[in-house]
Amino acid sequence: MPTTPLTHHLVALWFADIAGYSDLAAEDERSALQLIEILQSLSRDTVRSYEGRVVKFMGDAVLAEFPSTELAVRAAAALSEQYAKKSAGTGRAHNLRVGVHVADVAVGSDGDLYGDGVNAAARVQETAEPGEVVLSEDVWRQLRGRTEFQFESLGHRSLKGVGTIGLYVVALKEPATKRQPASEGSHTAQLAEERKAGIRSIAVLPFADLSAQRDQEYFSDGVAEEILNALTKVAGLRVPARTSCFAFRGTNVDAREIGRRLGVETFLEGSIRKAGNRLRISVQLIDARNGYQLWSERFDREVEDIFAIQDEIARRVLDALGLSLTEHEQRRFLKPSTANVKAYEFYLRGRKLFHSWTRQNMEFARQMFLRAVAIDPDFASAWAGLANTYVDLYRWGRNLRDLEEGQRTSAHALKLDPNLAEAHVAIGQALAIQRQFKDAAAEFERAIELDPTLYDAYYFYARSSFEAGDLEKAVQLFERAHRSRPEDYQVMALRALALHELGRTDKTREADQQAVDLINKYLELNPNEARAYSLGASPLARLGEREHSKQWSEQAIALAPNDPVVLYNAACNLAQLGEHDRALDGLERSIEAGVAVGDWIKHDPDFESVRDHPRFQTIVKRIAPS
């Protein structure tokens, strides 16, 4: 290993050797040398045609590098195919064993490659049977959605000096020799042109947890979500919400299908391997229109560098898409409110639990946020997260202490960072629950001023306006929330509700259909989401699809039988269907479960048929005292 400084770059690389060469050399040295000549001649031509570089020959083996995993795998398959045919001319066909890996390598002044990645590629190659091309899990992950490749899992293997990794045998669905590039450099030129194609939509998929114990999913999710949230702040770039993007966790879906389902032209995916204080983050940007890789990089850093890595990845994505940040966007772009990694990890744990949105996990999330602020009392985002858990816990249990804590913690978050939009949203929610609608509106307005891309600000402001009886304002805000997150079904369903209460029959039907369409699309990705079925039942009923409406309402209860909001929506559905006694029974059940709909029920048109019922009026007084 040379002592002079080396340059580093991320490459796809493979080792190939002649299967059974040692035995053949012992039997017939002349024939064995002829096989090496064939290997070297074919390798030079094949590697060059796939835009690669032969690094070196080592007896009966060859090491080559490529600018992308796709080119490396195609070259490996083509070489294996051609070698079997050419070697048959010696009197007996022979096979190669090829191992493909992607890694950050050091490049010597002589062009040789150094580093753990080179050793890993050699170890992967040793697992191949004659005639096989074997991929490491990192390579498979980049190509798994490509329909022209077929993969067979070999499971996880423990490789000397590498550790345990997943391995896959790959084959092309048509002969590799038919898929060679038309001319050298054409693929690179094509990618360069695609970068200039004006791409304006991107999804961020959940990053895979490749840690040895597979216990860092909260960390992988958190990093991906931070990057997603940063990209949403860029004007003109559409980024689907976390719930839609993360539905692809662990799936093997073609890149073009991911693009179709999410309505995006590109997506970012990656993996994180966390071991002690070391991080290895690999990311790649994929063109969902054709499956080609637009950019990829690997980061081997200390955990303390996580904030810089997240920022760098997000900015590199924007560079690859030909976008830049305005001065205002720069101020809102990935600004961590802590430098303490341990506090940040508890914050990420809390965020993951918070997103699951069950009462038990909300309580666990609260505990994680409490641990984060105990480590770093100045961590404003963790205080805002804590405030959100208290507000949601109040919605479930109507415990006044939760409401008081929600106000206190959100106020503290604002004291630490007056420009934290999420904290203004949290305190706005707490004020709205207490029917202080004017003060709540001021907080929501301030949040929107600070971050015009923040969906939660529009969504909760709209709900607050609905409860306050300002239905026109609610409709406008639900529409703005929809523009902020076009794939979200909740705002469309609630907008339809507000339009119905306003008596806008001309627009209500169209809004109901839009809501149902969005919910159907969402359920394709999240078939077990109780809230989607629950909210969708009402627009279906208004559209006259009574049986379908009832089916969705029952499905929601089956998935979340004790959720107070699901029970409330089921009561709405029964009232719409004319089952008044059952509707009122269901409403009582939702109260017992802890529903906290505030003044919402006063303006909810789903209960129009029972508004004059004495029992309903008694319930309203209990839920929303005036």
Side-chain angles (χ1 to χ4, degrees):
M1 181 87 178
T3 57
T4 54
L6 304 178
T7 60
H8 289 255
H9 63 188
L10 183 70
V11 296
L13 65 160
W14 49 243
F15 265 102
D17 77 353
I18 302 169
Y21 178 81
S22 297
D23 292 340
L24 178 64
E27 295 174 7
D28 186 346
E29 185 177 356
R30 183 175 178 180
S31 294
L33 291 174
Q34 188 178 2
L35 291 176
I36 287 180
E37 291 175 3
I38 293 171
L39 172 65
Q40 293 186 356
S41 174
L42 286 176
S43 295
R44 291 189 184 96
D45 292 340
T46 304
V47 170
R48 187 183 307 115
S49 69
Y50 284 90
E51 304 172 35
R53 177 178 75 91
V54 172
V55 178
K56 60 183 174 183
F57 294 105
M58 299 158 287
D60 69 316
V62 56
L63 171 64
E65 67 166 357
F66 298 84
S68 80
T69 52
E70 181 199 358
L71 292 173
V73 172
R74 289 192 182 282
L79 178 64
S80 181
E81 209 174 274
Q82 294 165 12
Y83 182 82
K85 292 177 181 177
K86 188 81 171 177
S87 64
T90 64
R92 188 179 73 179
H94 293 270
N95 288 298
L96 298 179
R97 302 182 307 160
V98 189
V100 189
H101 186 50
V102 60
D104 184 77
V105 296
V107 186
S109 58
D110 58 354
D112 203 356
L113 303 182
Y114 303 92
D116 293 340
V118 179
N119 175 60
R123 297 302 182 191
V124 170
Q125 179 265 328
E126 290 171 0
T127 68
E129 296 294 329
E132 285 185 346
V133 177
V134 174
L135 315 181
S136 69
E137 190 169 22
D138 288 343
V139 177
W140 167 81
R141 195 175 303 282
Q142 295 191 21
L143 299 176
R144 67 186 188 275
R146 302 292 295 274
T147 56
E148 59 266 43
F149 296 107
Q150 292 179 321
F151 303 100
E152 177 188 349
S153 175
L154 298 177
H156 284 77
R157 303 277 184 90
S158 179
L159 306 183
K160 184 179 179 181
V162 178
T164 301
I165 64 170
L167 298 174
Y168 296 81
V169 177
V170 67
L172 273 66
K173 291 185 178 179
E174 61 179 271
T177 50
K178 292 184 180 180
R179 302 296 297 266
Q180 290 193 24
S183 62
E184 185 174 354
S186 63
H187 188 78
T188 301
Q190 178 187 3
L191 294 183
E193 287 303 310
E194 289 171 347
R195 290 189 181 97
K196 303 172 185 176
I199 293 170
R200 291 299 177 266
S201 58
I202 183 173
V204 180
L205 304 190
F207 287 6
D209 172 23
L210 299 185
S211 303
Q213 303 301 319
R214 297 297 192 270
D215 60 349
Q216 299 295 311
E217 186 174 274
Y218 75 92
F219 191 86
S220 303
D221 281 3
V223 172
E225 188 181 1
E226 291 279 17
I227 294 167
L228 184 156
N229 290 339
L231 294 174
T232 63
K233 302 183 190 310
V234 181
L237 184 64
R238 194 181 79 76
V239 187
R242 177 190 191 280
T243 49
S244 298
C245 296
F246 280 34
F248 287 91
R249 184 194 307 280
T251 61
N252 184 14
V253 181
D254 180 76
R256 284 156 289 198
E257 180 64 12
I258 292 174
R260 184 193 70 79
R261 291 195 196 178
L262 294 176
V264 295
E265 300 153 293
T266 59
F267 61 85
L268 183 74
E269 63 178 0
S271 62
I272 297 183
R273 191 187 305 273
K274 186 166 176 277
N277 203 43
R278 294 291 299 174
L279 275 181
R280 172 171 292 178
I281 302 180
S282 299
V283 289
Q284 61 170 346
L285 181 64
I286 304 297
D287 190 328
R289 299 169 299 182
N290 51 35
Y292 286 123
Q293 183 185 93
L294 296 175
W295 163 75
S296 67
E297 192 157 339
R298 196 177 82 183
F299 302 83
D300 285 305
R301 307 274 182 84
E302 300 291 325
V303 172
E304 285 73 17
D305 295 327
I306 185 58
F307 307 113
I309 296 172
Q310 290 171 166
D311 186 82
E312 187 174 345
I313 292 172
R315 291 176 187 275
R316 290 293 302 275
V317 167
L318 294 179
D319 288 344
L321 299 180
L323 295 170
S324 58
L325 297 171
T326 66
E327 184 178 344
H328 186 60
E329 289 166 348
Q330 285 276 11
R331 290 196 295 270
R332 294 186 283 110
F333 197 74
L334 271 172
K335 300 294 184 185
S337 57
T338 185
N340 189 302
V341 173
K342 195 66 178 174
Y344 183 66
E345 288 199 42
F346 279 116
Y347 170 71
L348 294 183
R349 288 180 187 271
R351 279 249 297 269
K352 182 170 179 60
L353 289 161
F354 181 83
H355 286 305
S356 64
W357 218 71
T358 66
R359 183 168 184 168
Q360 183 182 41
N361 279 340
M362 196 63 65
E363 176 59 38
F364 290 152
R366 184 184 70 85
Q367 294 173 21
M368 292 299 103
F369 289 133
L370 281 171
R371 295 184 73 173
V373 299
I375 295 170
D376 182 0
D378 296 329
F379 192 174
S381 294
W383 282 103
L386 183 58
N388 285 326
T389 62
Y390 278 122
V391 170
D392 281 341
L393 284 169
Y394 175 77
R395 293 185 195 280
W396 263 295
R398 292 188 295 163
N399 184 322
L400 284 176
R401 178 169 173 76
D402 287 331
L403 185 56
E404 291 166 0
E405 285 298 297
Q407 272 195 296
R408 182 186 69 82
T409 51
S410 55
H412 189 68
L414 283 179
K415 181 180 177 182
L416 292 169
D417 185 354
N419 296 320
L420 185 61
E422 291 81 0
H424 285 281
V425 172
I427 201 166
Q429 288 186 74
L431 289 167
I433 287 174
Q434 297 173 85
R435 306 181 69 250
Q436 298 178 38
F437 297 119
K438 186 176 180 180
D439 291 338
E443 294 296 335
F444 291 130
E445 291 282 2
R446 178 58 177 152
I448 291 168
E449 180 186 347
L450 289 167
D451 187 353
T453 67
L454 187 58
Y455 164 85
D456 284 355
Y458 298 113
Y459 175 68
F460 288 111
Y461 191 5
R463 291 184 65 100
S464 175
S465 298
F466 187 97
E467 290 191 58
D470 191 350
L471 302 180
E472 291 283 3
K473 182 77 170 177
V475 169
Q476 295 171 16
L477 286 165
F478 281 132
E479 288 171 352
R480 292 176 71 182
H482 175 64
R483 290 196 293 272
S484 173
R485 191 177 289 177
E487 75 281 3
D488 186 77
Y489 65 87
Q490 297 180 97
V491 293
M492 280 291 100
L494 298 177
R495 172 177 173 268
L497 197 70
L499 286 168
H500 183 66
E501 179 68 357
L502 283 167
R504 305 263 187 86
T505 54
D506 56 329
K507 291 189 176 181
T508 301
R509 185 172 183 82
E510 180 186 355
D512 281 331
Q513 190 58 60
Q514 288 177 326
V516 170
D517 291 344
L518 282 171
I519 290 171
N520 275 317
K521 190 172 182 180
Y522 181 83
L523 288 171
E524 283 184 28
L525 302 175
N526 304 273
N528 295 319
E529 180 67 67
R531 180 162 174 77
Y533 290 110
S534 180
L535 269 183
S538 286
L540 278 174
R542 288 193 293 270
L543 290 168
E545 299 185 37
R546 294 173 62 87
E547 286 304 314
H548 197 178
S549 170
K550 192 173 182 179
Q551 178 189 349
W552 271 18
S553 184
E554 290 171 351
Q555 178 72 4
I557 292 176
L559 289 167
N562 299 312
D563 186 287
V565 178
V566 167
L567 293 172
Y568 174 85
N569 287 335
C572 292
N573 183 245
L574 289 166
Q576 285 179 290
L577 298 176
E579 300 185 33
H580 297 159
D581 288 337
R582 290 186 63 200
L584 294 171
D585 290 342
L587 196 50
E588 293 278 9
R589 282 187 63 201
S590 71
I591 295 173
E592 292 168 7
V595 75
V597 290
D599 281 353
W600 184 278
I601 195 170
K602 290 182 177 180
H603 309 288
D604 195 331
D606 291 344
F607 289 115
E608 186 175 358
S609 62
V610 294
R611 275 185 178 157
D612 295 330
H613 196 293
R615 188 177 166 199
F616 179 77
Q617 293 175 355
T618 301
I619 291 172
V620 169
K621 289 178 181 178
R622 290 175 60 190
I623 294 180
S626 57

